[in-house]
Coordinates of all heavy atoms in Angstrom, one line a residue:
M94 N 9.3 11.0 -19.1 CA 8.6 9.7 -18.9 C 8.3 9.1 -20.2 O 7.6 9.7 -21.1 CB 7.4 10.0 -18.0 CG 6.4 8.8 -17.9 SD 5.0 9.0 -16.8 CE 4.2 10.4 -17.5
E95 N 8.7 7.9 -20.4 CA 8.4 7.2 -21.7 C 7.3 6.2 -21.5 O 7.4 5.3 -20.6 CB 9.7 6.4 -22.1 CG 9.5 5.7 -23.4 CD 10.5 6.0 -24.4 OE1 11.4 6.8 -24.2 OE2 10.5 5.3 -25.5
L96 N 6.2 6.4 -22.2 CA 5.0 5.5 -22.1 C 4.8 4.7 -23.4 O 5.2 5.2 -24.5 CB 3.8 6.3 -21.8 CG 3.7 7.0 -20.5 CD1 2.5 7.9 -20.4 CD2 3.8 6.1 -19.3
K97 N 4.2 3.6 -23.2 CA 3.8 2.7 -24.4 C 2.4 2.2 -24.2 O 2.0 2.1 -23.0 CB 4.9 1.6 -24.6 CG 5.0 0.6 -23.5 CD 6.1 -0.3 -23.7 CE 6.2 -1.4 -22.7 NZ 6.2 -0.9 -21.3
P98 N 1.7 1.8 -25.2 CA 0.4 1.2 -25.1 C 0.5 0.0 -24.1 O 1.4 -0.8 -24.1 CB 0.0 0.8 -26.5 CG 0.8 1.7 -27.4 CD 2.1 1.9 -26.6
G99 N -0.5 0.0 -23.2 CA -0.6 -1.1 -22.2 C -0.1 -0.6 -20.9 O -0.4 -1.3 -19.8
D100 N 0.7 0.5 -20.8 CA 1.2 0.9 -19.5 C 0.0 1.5 -18.7 O -1.0 1.9 -19.2 CB 2.2 2.1 -19.7 CG 3.5 1.6 -20.2 OD1 3.8 0.4 -20.1 OD2 4.3 2.5 -20.6
V101 N 0.2 1.3 -17.4 CA -0.9 1.8 -16.4 C -0.3 3.1 -15.8 O 0.8 3.2 -15.3 CB -1.2 0.8 -15.4 CG1 -2.3 1.4 -14.4 CG2 -1.8 -0.5 -16.0
V102 N -1.1 4.2 -15.9 CA -0.8 5.5 -15.3 C -1.9 6.0 -14.5 O -3.0 5.4 -14.4 CB -0.5 6.5 -16.5 CG1 0.7 6.0 -17.3 CG2 -1.7 6.7 -17.4
M103 N -1.6 7.1 -13.8 CA -2.7 7.8 -13.0 C -2.5 9.3 -13.3 O -1.4 9.7 -13.6 CB -2.5 7.5 -11.5 CG -3.0 6.1 -11.2 SD -3.0 5.9 -9.4 CE -4.4 6.8 -8.9
L104 N -3.6 10.0 -13.1 CA -3.4 11.5 -13.1 C -2.6 11.9 -11.9 O -2.7 11.3 -10.8 CB -4.8 12.1 -13.0 CG -5.7 12.0 -14.2 CD1 -7.1 12.5 -13.8 CD2 -5.1 12.8 -15.3
K105 N -1.8 12.9 -12.0 CA -1.0 13.3 -10.9 C -1.8 13.8 -9.7 O -1.4 13.7 -8.6 CB 0.0 14.5 -11.3 CG 1.1 14.0 -12.2 CD 2.0 15.1 -12.6 CE 3.2 14.6 -13.5 NZ 4.1 15.6 -13.9
S106 N -3.0 14.2 -10.0 CA -4.0 14.7 -9.0 C -4.7 13.5 -8.3 O -5.5 13.7 -7.4 CB -4.9 15.7 -9.6 OG -5.7 15.1 -10.6
G107 N -4.5 12.3 -8.8 CA -5.2 11.1 -8.2 C -6.3 10.6 -9.1 O -6.5 11.0 -10.2
G108 N -7.0 9.6 -8.6 CA -8.1 9.0 -9.4 C -7.8 7.5 -9.7 O -7.0 6.9 -9.0
H109 N -8.6 7.0 -10.7 CA -8.5 5.6 -11.0 C -7.3 5.3 -11.9 O -6.7 6.2 -12.5 CB -9.7 5.3 -11.9 CG -11.0 5.3 -11.2 ND1 -11.4 4.4 -10.3 CD2 -12.0 6.3 -11.3 CE1 -12.6 4.7 -9.8 NE2 -13.0 5.9 -10.4
P110 N -6.8 4.1 -11.9 CA -5.7 3.7 -12.8 C -6.2 3.8 -14.2 O -7.4 3.6 -14.5 CB -5.5 2.2 -12.5 CG -6.0 2.0 -11.1 CD -7.2 3.0 -11.0
I111 N -5.3 4.2 -15.1 CA -5.7 4.5 -16.5 C -4.7 3.7 -17.4 O -3.5 3.7 -17.1 CB -5.5 6.0 -16.8 CG1 -6.4 6.9 -15.9 CG2 -5.8 6.3 -18.2 CD1 -6.2 8.4 -15.9
T112 N -5.3 3.1 -18.4 CA -4.5 2.3 -19.3 C -4.1 3.2 -20.6 O -5.0 3.7 -21.2 CB -5.2 1.0 -19.8 OG1 -5.5 0.3 -18.6 CG2 -4.3 0.2 -20.7
V113 N -2.9 3.2 -20.9 CA -2.4 3.9 -22.1 C -2.8 3.1 -23.4 O -2.5 1.9 -23.4 CB -0.9 4.1 -22.1 CG1 -0.4 4.8 -23.4 CG2 -0.5 5.0 -20.9
V114 N -3.4 3.8 -24.3 CA -3.8 3.2 -25.6 C -2.8 3.6 -26.7 O -2.4 2.8 -27.5 CB -5.2 3.5 -26.0 CG1 -5.6 2.9 -27.3 CG2 -6.2 3.0 -24.9
E115 N -2.5 4.9 -26.8 CA -1.7 5.4 -27.8 C -0.9 6.7 -27.3 O -1.4 7.4 -26.5 CB -2.6 5.9 -29.0 CG -1.8 6.3 -30.2 CD -2.8 6.6 -31.4 OE1 -3.9 6.2 -31.4 OE2 -2.3 7.3 -32.3
V116 N 0.3 6.8 -27.7 CA 1.2 7.9 -27.3 C 1.6 8.7 -28.5 O 2.1 8.2 -29.5 CB 2.4 7.4 -26.6 CG1 3.3 8.6 -26.1 CG2 2.1 6.5 -25.4
E117 N 1.3 10.1 -28.5 CA 1.7 11.0 -29.5 C 2.4 12.2 -28.8 O 1.8 12.8 -28.0 CB 0.5 11.5 -30.3 CG -0.3 10.5 -31.0 CD -1.6 11.1 -31.6 OE1 -1.6 12.3 -31.8 OE2 -2.5 10.3 -31.9
E118 N 3.6 12.4 -29.2 CA 4.4 13.5 -28.6 C 4.1 13.9 -27.2 O 4.6 13.3 -26.3 CB 4.3 14.7 -29.5 CG 5.0 14.5 -30.9 CD 4.9 15.7 -31.8 OE1 4.8 16.8 -31.2 OE2 5.0 15.5 -33.0
D119 N 3.2 14.9 -27.0 CA 2.9 15.3 -25.6 C 1.4 15.0 -25.2 O 0.9 15.5 -24.3 CB 3.1 16.8 -25.5 CG 2.3 17.6 -26.5 OD1 1.7 17.1 -27.4 OD2 2.2 18.9 -26.3
K120 N 0.8 14.1 -26.0 CA -0.6 13.7 -25.7 C -0.6 12.1 -25.6 O 0.1 11.4 -26.3 CB -1.5 14.1 -26.8 CG -1.7 15.6 -27.0 CD -2.7 15.9 -28.1 CE -2.1 15.6 -29.4 NZ -2.9 15.9 -30.6
V121 N -1.5 11.7 -24.7 CA -1.7 10.2 -24.5 C -3.1 9.9 -24.5 O -4.0 10.5 -23.8 CB -1.1 9.8 -23.1 CG1 -1.2 8.4 -22.9 CG2 0.4 10.3 -23.0
E122 N -3.5 8.9 -25.4 CA -4.9 8.5 -25.4 C -5.0 7.3 -24.4 O -4.2 6.4 -24.4 CB -5.2 8.0 -26.8 CG -6.7 7.7 -27.0 CD -7.1 7.5 -28.4 OE1 -6.4 7.8 -29.3 OE2 -8.2 6.9 -28.6
C123 N -6.0 7.4 -23.6 CA -6.2 6.5 -22.4 C -7.6 6.0 -22.3 O -8.5 6.5 -22.8 CB -5.9 7.3 -21.1 SG -4.3 8.1 -21.1
L124 N -7.6 4.8 -21.7 CA -8.9 4.1 -21.4 C -9.0 3.8 -19.9 O -7.9 3.5 -19.3 CB -9.0 2.8 -22.1 CG -9.3 2.7 -23.5 CD1 -9.2 1.3 -24.0 CD2 -10.7 3.2 -23.8
W125 N -10.1 4.0 -19.3 CA -10.3 3.5 -17.9 C -11.8 3.2 -17.6 O -12.7 3.6 -18.4 CB -9.8 4.6 -16.9 CG -10.6 5.8 -16.8 CD1 -11.5 6.1 -15.9 CD2 -10.4 7.0 -17.6 NE1 -12.0 7.4 -16.1 CE2 -11.4 8.0 -17.2 CE3 -9.6 7.3 -18.7 CZ2 -11.5 9.2 -17.8 CZ3 -9.8 8.6 -19.3 CH2 -10.7 9.5 -18.8
M126 N -12.0 2.4 -16.6 CA -13.3 2.0 -16.2 C -13.8 2.9 -15.0 O -13.1 3.1 -14.0 CB -13.3 0.6 -15.7 CG -14.6 0.0 -15.5 SD -15.5 -0.5 -17.1 CE -14.5 -1.8 -17.7
G127 N -15.0 3.5 -15.2 CA -15.5 4.4 -14.1 C -16.1 3.5 -13.0 O -16.2 2.3 -13.1
T128 N -16.5 4.1 -11.9 CA -17.0 3.4 -10.7 C -18.3 2.7 -11.0 O -18.6 1.7 -10.4 CB -17.2 4.4 -9.6 OG1 -18.1 5.4 -10.0 CG2 -15.9 4.9 -9.0
D129 N -19.1 3.1 -12.0 CA -20.3 2.4 -12.4 C -20.2 1.5 -13.5 O -21.1 1.0 -14.1 CB -21.4 3.5 -12.8 CG -21.8 4.3 -11.6 OD1 -21.7 3.8 -10.4 OD2 -22.2 5.5 -11.8
G130 N -18.9 1.2 -13.9 CA -18.6 0.2 -15.0 C -18.6 0.8 -16.4 O -18.5 0.1 -17.3
D131 N -18.7 2.2 -16.4 CA -18.7 2.8 -17.7 C -17.2 2.9 -18.2 O -16.3 3.1 -17.4 CB -19.2 4.3 -17.6 CG -20.7 4.3 -17.2 OD1 -21.4 3.4 -17.6 OD2 -21.0 5.2 -16.5
L132 N -17.0 2.7 -19.5 CA -15.7 2.8 -20.1 C -15.5 4.2 -20.7 O -16.3 4.7 -21.4 CB -15.6 1.8 -21.2 CG -14.2 1.6 -21.9 CD1 -13.2 1.1 -20.9 CD2 -14.3 0.7 -23.1
F133 N -14.4 4.8 -20.3 CA -14.0 6.1 -20.8 C -12.8 6.1 -21.6 O -11.9 5.3 -21.4 CB -13.7 7.0 -19.5 CG -15.0 7.3 -18.7 CD1 -15.3 6.5 -17.6 CD2 -15.8 8.3 -19.0 CE1 -16.4 6.7 -16.9 CE2 -16.9 8.6 -18.2 CZ -17.2 7.7 -17.2
R134 N -12.7 6.9 -22.6 CA -11.6 7.1 -23.5 C -11.3 8.5 -23.8 O -12.2 9.2 -24.3 CB -11.9 6.3 -24.8 CG -10.7 6.3 -25.8 CD -11.0 5.6 -27.1 NE -9.8 5.4 -27.8 CZ -9.4 4.2 -28.2 NH1 -10.1 3.1 -28.0 NH2 -8.3 4.1 -28.9
E135 N -10.2 9.0 -23.4 CA -9.8 10.4 -23.5 C -8.4 10.6 -23.9 O -7.5 9.7 -23.6 CB -10.0 11.2 -22.1 CG -11.4 11.4 -21.7 CD -12.2 12.4 -22.5 OE1 -11.6 13.3 -23.1 OE2 -13.4 12.2 -22.7
T136 N -8.1 11.7 -24.5 CA -6.7 12.1 -24.8 C -6.3 13.1 -23.8 O -7.0 14.1 -23.6 CB -6.6 12.7 -26.2 OG1 -7.0 11.7 -27.2 CG2 -5.1 13.1 -26.6
L137 N -5.2 12.8 -23.0 CA -4.8 13.6 -21.9 C -3.4 14.1 -22.2 O -2.6 13.5 -22.9 CB -4.8 12.8 -20.6 CG -6.2 12.2 -20.3 CD1 -6.0 11.2 -19.1 CD2 -7.1 13.3 -19.9
P138 N -3.0 15.3 -21.6 CA -1.7 15.8 -21.8 C -0.7 14.9 -21.0 O -1.0 14.5 -19.8 CB -1.7 17.2 -21.2 CG -3.0 17.3 -20.4 CD -3.9 16.2 -20.9
L139 N 0.4 14.6 -21.5 CA 1.5 13.8 -20.9 C 1.9 14.4 -19.5 O 2.1 13.6 -18.6 CB 2.7 13.7 -21.8 CG 3.8 12.9 -21.3 CD1 3.4 11.4 -21.1 CD2 5.0 12.9 -22.3
V140 N 1.9 15.7 -19.4 CA 2.4 16.3 -18.2 C 1.4 16.1 -17.0 O 1.8 16.2 -15.8 CB 2.6 17.8 -18.3 CG1 3.7 18.1 -19.3 CG2 1.4 18.5 -18.7
A141 N 0.2 15.6 -17.3 CA -0.8 15.4 -16.2 C -0.8 14.0 -15.7 O -1.5 13.7 -14.7 CB -2.2 15.7 -16.7
L142 N 0.1 13.1 -16.3 CA 0.1 11.7 -15.9 C 1.4 11.3 -15.2 O 2.5 11.9 -15.4 CB -0.1 10.9 -17.2 CG -1.3 11.1 -18.0 CD1 -1.3 10.3 -19.3 CD2 -2.6 10.8 -17.2
E143 N 1.3 10.3 -14.4 CA 2.5 9.7 -13.8 C 2.4 8.2 -13.9 O 1.3 7.6 -13.8 CB 2.6 10.1 -12.3 CG 1.5 9.7 -11.4 CD 1.7 10.3 -10.0 OE1 2.6 11.1 -9.7 OE2 0.8 9.9 -9.1
S144 N 3.5 7.5 -14.0 CA 3.5 6.0 -14.1 C 3.1 5.4 -12.8 O 3.4 6.0 -11.7 CB 4.9 5.5 -14.5 OG 5.2 5.9 -15.7
T145 N 2.5 4.3 -12.8 CA 2.1 3.5 -11.6 C 2.1 2.1 -12.0 O 2.1 1.7 -13.1 CB 0.7 4.0 -11.1 OG1 0.5 3.3 -9.8 CG2 -0.4 3.6 -12.1
E146 N 2.2 1.2 -10.9 CA 2.1 -0.2 -11.1 C 1.0 -0.7 -10.3 O 0.7 -0.3 -9.2 CB 3.4 -0.9 -10.7 CG 4.6 -0.5 -11.6 CD 5.8 -1.3 -11.2 OE1 5.7 -2.4 -10.6 OE2 6.9 -0.9 -11.6
I147 N 0.2 -1.6 -10.9 CA -0.9 -2.3 -10.2 C -0.4 -3.5 -9.6 O 0.2 -4.4 -10.3 CB -2.0 -2.6 -11.2 CG1 -2.5 -1.3 -11.9 CG2 -3.2 -3.3 -10.5 CD1 -3.1 -0.3 -10.9
D148 N -0.6 -3.7 -8.3 CA -0.2 -4.9 -7.6 C -1.3 -5.9 -7.6 O -2.4 -5.6 -7.1 CB 0.2 -4.6 -6.1 CG 0.7 -5.7 -5.4 OD1 0.9 -6.8 -6.0 OD2 1.1 -5.6 -4.2
P149 N -1.2 -7.0 -8.3 CA -2.3 -8.0 -8.4 C -2.8 -8.4 -7.1 O -4.0 -8.8 -6.9 CB -1.7 -9.2 -9.2 CG -0.4 -8.7 -9.7 CD 0.0 -7.5 -9.0
E150 N -2.0 -8.4 -6.1 CA -2.4 -8.9 -4.7 C -3.4 -7.9 -4.2 O -4.3 -8.3 -3.4 CB -1.2 -9.0 -3.8 CG -0.4 -10.2 -4.2 CD 0.8 -10.3 -3.2 OE1 0.8 -9.6 -2.2 OE2 1.7 -11.1 -3.5
D151 N -3.4 -6.6 -4.5 CA -4.3 -5.6 -4.1 C -5.7 -6.0 -4.5 O -6.7 -5.8 -3.8 CB -4.0 -4.2 -4.6 CG -2.8 -3.6 -3.9 OD1 -2.4 -4.1 -2.8 OD2 -2.2 -2.6 -4.4
D152 N -5.8 -6.4 -5.8 CA -7.2 -6.8 -6.3 C -7.7 -8.0 -5.6 O -8.9 -8.0 -5.3 CB -7.1 -7.1 -7.8 CG -6.8 -5.9 -8.7 OD1 -7.1 -4.8 -8.2 OD2 -6.3 -6.0 -9.8
E153 N -6.8 -8.9 -5.2 CA -7.3 -10.1 -4.5 C -7.8 -9.7 -3.1 O -8.7 -10.3 -2.6 CB -6.2 -11.1 -4.4 CG -5.9 -11.8 -5.8 CD -4.7 -12.7 -5.7 OE1 -4.2 -13.0 -4.6 OE2 -4.2 -13.1 -6.8
E154 N -7.0 -8.8 -2.5 CA -7.4 -8.4 -1.1 C -8.8 -7.7 -1.1 O -9.6 -8.0 -0.3 CB -6.4 -7.4 -0.5 CG -5.1 -8.1 -0.2 CD -4.0 -7.1 0.3 OE1 -4.4 -5.9 0.5 OE2 -2.9 -7.5 0.4
E155 N -9.1 -6.9 -2.1 CA -10.4 -6.3 -2.2 C -11.5 -7.3 -2.4 O -12.5 -7.2 -1.8 CB -10.4 -5.3 -3.4 CG -9.6 -4.0 -3.2 CD -9.6 -3.1 -4.3 OE1 -10.4 -3.3 -5.3 OE2 -8.8 -2.1 -4.3
D156 N -11.2 -8.3 -3.2 CA -12.2 -9.4 -3.4 C -12.4 -10.1 -2.1 O -13.6 -10.4 -1.8 CB -11.7 -10.4 -4.5 CG -11.7 -9.8 -5.9 OD1 -12.4 -8.8 -6.1 OD2 -11.0 -10.4 -6.8
D157 N -11.4 -10.4 -1.4 CA -11.5 -11.1 -0.1 C -12.3 -10.2 0.9 O -13.2 -10.8 1.6 CB -10.1 -11.4 0.6 CG -9.4 -12.4 -0.2 OD1 -10.0 -13.1 -1.0 OD2 -8.1 -12.5 0.0
E158 N -12.1 -8.9 0.9 CA -12.9 -8.0 1.8 C -14.3 -8.1 1.4 O -15.2 -8.1 2.3 CB -12.3 -6.6 1.7 CG -11.0 -6.5 2.4 CD -10.4 -5.1 2.1 OE1 -11.1 -4.2 1.6 OE2 -9.2 -4.9 2.5
D159 N -14.7 -8.1 0.1 CA -16.0 -8.1 -0.3 C -16.7 -9.4 0.1 O -17.8 -9.4 0.6 CB -16.1 -8.0 -1.9 CG -15.8 -6.6 -2.4 OD1 -15.7 -5.7 -1.5 OD2 -15.5 -6.5 -3.6
E160 N -16.0 -10.5 0.0 CA -16.5 -11.8 0.4 C -16.8 -11.8 1.9 O -17.8 -12.3 2.4 CB -15.6 -12.9 0.1 CG -15.5 -13.2 -1.4 CD -14.5 -14.2 -1.8 OE1 -13.9 -14.9 -0.9 OE2 -14.2 -14.4 -3.0
D161 N -15.9 -11.2 2.7 CA -16.1 -11.1 4.2 C -17.3 -10.3 4.5 O -18.1 -10.7 5.4 CB -14.8 -10.5 4.8 CG -13.6 -11.4 4.8 OD1 -13.8 -12.6 4.5 OD2 -12.5 -10.9 5.0
D162 N -17.5 -9.2 3.8 CA -18.7 -8.3 4.0 C -19.9 -9.1 3.8 O -20.9 -9.0 4.5 CB -18.6 -7.1 3.1 CG -17.5 -6.1 3.6 OD1 -17.0 -6.3 4.7 OD2 -17.2 -5.2 2.8
D163 N -20.0 -9.9 2.7 CA -21.1 -10.7 2.3 C -21.5 -11.7 3.4 O -22.6 -11.9 3.8 CB -21.0 -11.4 1.0 CG -20.9 -10.4 -0.2 OD1 -21.3 -9.3 0.0 OD2 -20.5 -10.9 -1.3
E164 N -20.4 -12.4 4.0 CA -20.6 -13.3 5.0 C -21.2 -12.7 6.3 O -22.0 -13.2 6.9 CB -19.3 -14.1 5.3 CG -18.9 -15.0 4.2 CD -17.5 -15.6 4.4 OE1 -16.9 -15.4 5.5 OE2 -17.0 -16.2 3.5
E165 N -20.6 -11.5 6.6 CA -21.1 -10.8 7.8 C -22.6 -10.4 7.6 O -23.4 -10.5 8.6 CB -20.3 -9.5 8.1 CG -18.9 -9.9 8.6 CD -18.0 -8.6 8.7 OE1 -18.6 -7.5 8.6 OE2 -16.8 -8.8 8.9
E166 N -23.0 -10.0 6.5 CA -24.4 -9.6 6.2 C -25.3 -10.8 6.4 O -26.4 -10.7 7.0 CB -24.5 -9.0 4.8 CG -24.0 -7.6 4.7 CD -24.0 -7.1 3.3 OE1 -24.7 -7.7 2.4 OE2 -23.4 -6.0 3.0
E167 N -24.8 -12.0 5.9 CA -25.6 -13.2 6.0 C -25.8 -13.6 7.5 O -26.8 -14.0 7.9 CB -25.0 -14.3 5.2 CG -25.1 -14.2 3.7 CD -24.4 -15.2 2.9 OE1 -23.8 -16.2 3.6 OE2 -24.2 -15.1 1.7
D168 N -24.7 -13.5 8.2 CA -24.7 -13.8 9.7 C -25.7 -12.9 10.4 O -26.5 -13.3 11.2 CB -23.3 -13.6 10.3 CG -22.4 -14.7 9.8 OD1 -22.9 -15.8 9.3 OD2 -21.2 -14.6 10.0
D169 N -25.7 -11.6 10.0 CA -26.6 -10.6 10.6 C -28.0 -11.0 10.3 O -28.9 -10.9 11.2 CB -26.3 -9.2 10.1 CG -25.0 -8.6 10.7 OD1 -24.5 -9.2 11.6 OD2 -24.5 -7.6 10.1
E170 N -28.3 -11.4 9.1 CA -29.7 -11.8 8.7 C -30.1 -13.0 9.5 O -31.2 -13.1 10.0 CB -29.7 -12.1 7.2 CG -29.6 -10.8 6.4 CD -29.5 -11.1 4.9 OE1 -29.7 -12.3 4.5 OE2 -29.3 -10.2 4.1
D171 N -29.2 -14.0 9.7 CA -29.6 -15.2 10.5 C -29.9 -14.8 11.9 O -30.8 -15.3 12.5 CB -28.4 -16.2 10.5 CG -28.2 -16.8 9.2 OD1 -29.1 -16.7 8.3 OD2 -27.1 -17.4 8.9
E172 N -29.1 -13.9 12.5 CA -29.3 -13.4 13.9 C -30.7 -12.7 14.0 O -31.4 -12.9 14.9 CB -28.2 -12.5 14.4 CG -26.9 -13.2 14.6 CD -25.8 -12.2 14.9 OE1 -26.1 -11.0 15.1 OE2 -24.6 -12.7 14.9
D173 N -31.0 -11.9 13.0 CA -32.3 -11.2 12.9 C -33.5 -12.2 12.9 O -34.5 -12.1 13.6 CB -32.4 -10.3 11.7 CG -31.5 -9.1 11.9 OD1 -31.0 -8.8 13.0 OD2 -31.2 -8.4 10.9
D174 N -33.3 -13.3 12.1 CA -34.3 -14.3 12.0 C -34.6 -14.9 13.4 O -35.7 -15.2 13.8 CB -34.0 -15.4 11.0 CG -34.1 -14.8 9.6 OD1 -34.7 -13.7 9.4 OD2 -33.5 -15.5 8.6
D175 N -33.5 -15.3 14.1 CA -33.6 -15.9 15.4 C -34.2 -14.9 16.4 O -35.1 -15.4 17.2 CB -32.2 -16.3 15.9 CG -31.5 -17.4 15.1 OD1 -32.3 -18.1 14.4 OD2 -30.3 -17.6 15.2
G176 N -33.9 -13.7 16.3 CA -34.5 -12.7 17.2 C -36.0 -12.6 17.0 O -36.8 -12.5 17.9
D177 N -36.4 -12.6 15.7 CA -37.8 -12.5 15.4 C -38.6 -13.7 15.9 O -39.7 -13.6 16.4 CB -38.0 -12.4 13.8 CG -37.6 -11.1 13.3 OD1 -37.5 -10.1 14.1 OD2 -37.4 -11.0 12.1
R178 N -38.0 -14.9 15.8 CA -38.6 -16.1 16.3 C -38.8 -16.0 17.8 O -39.8 -16.4 18.3 CB -37.8 -17.4 15.9 CG -37.8 -17.7 14.5 CD -37.1 -19.0 14.2 NE -36.6 -19.0 12.9 CZ -35.4 -19.4 12.5 NH1 -34.5 -19.8 13.4 NH2 -35.1 -19.3 11.2
K179 N -37.8 -15.5 18.5 CA -37.8 -15.4 20.0 C -39.0 -14.4 20.4 O -39.7 -14.7 21.3 CB -36.5 -15.0 20.5 CG -35.4 -16.0 20.5 CD -34.1 -15.5 21.0 CE -33.0 -16.5 20.8 NZ -31.7 -16.0 21.1
K180 N -39.1 -13.3 19.6 CA -40.1 -12.4 19.9 C -41.5 -13.0 19.7 O -42.4 -12.8 20.5 CB -40.0 -11.1 19.0 CG -38.8 -10.3 19.4 CD -38.6 -9.1 18.4 CE -37.4 -8.3 18.7 NZ -37.1 -7.3 17.7
K181 N -41.6 -13.8 18.6 CA -42.9 -14.4 18.3 C -43.3 -15.4 19.5 O -44.4 -15.5 19.9 CB -42.9 -15.1 17.0 CG -42.9 -14.1 15.8 CD -42.8 -14.8 14.5 CE -42.7 -13.8 13.4 NZ -42.5 -14.5 12.1
R182 N -42.3 -16.1 19.9 CA -42.5 -17.1 21.0 C -43.0 -16.4 22.3 O -43.9 -16.9 23.0 CB -41.2 -17.9 21.3 CG -40.9 -18.9 20.2 CD -39.7 -19.7 20.7 NE -39.1 -20.4 19.5 CZ -37.8 -20.7 19.4 NH1 -37.0 -20.5 20.3 NH2 -37.4 -21.3 18.3
K183 N -42.3 -15.3 22.6 CA -42.7 -14.5 23.8 C -44.1 -14.0 23.7 O -44.8 -13.9 24.6 CB -41.7 -13.4 24.1 CG -40.4 -13.9 24.6 CD -39.4 -12.7 24.8 CE -38.1 -13.2 25.2 NZ -37.1 -12.1 25.4
A184 N -44.5 -13.5 22.5 CA -45.8 -12.9 22.3 C -46.9 -14.0 22.4 O -48.0 -13.7 22.8 CB -45.8 -12.3 20.9
A185 N -46.6 -15.2 22.0 CA -47.6 -16.3 22.0 C -47.8 -16.8 23.4 O -48.3 -16.6 24.3 CB -47.1 -17.5 21.2

């Protein structure tokens, strides 16, 4: 497998996409963003990595899903407010 800086790879065992920074014989220096937004930089053995391609549409779909979740939460809050008003009216 021939890698160059800027290529996106993954560990063969899975995990986050990793960006290649530097390639030396059988070692690859890599960068990736952790789930909490932390930036990691490690030198990994070439045999532990496999090439992958990131589909830009996948990122857009995740963003769309996040927006949908936010809208659903807002709708739920509105319904809760209406329910509270109805309970208050009945109590009065």
Side-chain angles (χ1 to χ4, degrees):
M94 168 174 60
E95 179 128 356
L96 294 176
K97 64 185 181 311
D100 285 347
V101 177
V102 297
M103 287 185 75
L104 288 171
K105 288 182 179 178
S106 60
H109 294 285
I111 301 170
T112 304
V113 173
V114 177
E115 187 177 341
V116 180
E117 299 177 19
E118 294 182 25
D119 60 346
K120 296 183 288 184
V121 182
E122 190 168 343
C123 302
L124 284 174
W125 70 94
M126 190 75 70
T128 53
D129 294 331
D131 298 326
L132 185 63
F133 294 92
R134 184 178 190 126
E135 288 289 331
T136 301
L137 302 169
L139 180 61
V140 297
L142 303 172
E143 62 185 6
S144 293
T145 187
E146 290 186 21
I147 301 296
D148 186 1
E150 291 181 12
D151 286 344
D152 290 339
E153 290 175 12
E154 288 174 10
E155 288 178 12
D156 291 342
D157 291 344
E158 289 173 9
D159 290 343
E160 290 173 10
D161 291 343
D162 290 345
D163 292 344
E164 289 173 7
E165 288 175 13
E166 288 175 11
E167 289 174 8
D168 291 343
D169 290 344
E170 289 174 5
D171 290 343
E172 289 172 10
D173 290 344
D174 290 344
D175 292 341
D177 289 342
R178 286 187 209 133
K179 289 177 186 174
K180 288 177 187 173
K181 289 178 184 175
R182 287 184 199 152
K183 287 180 182 178

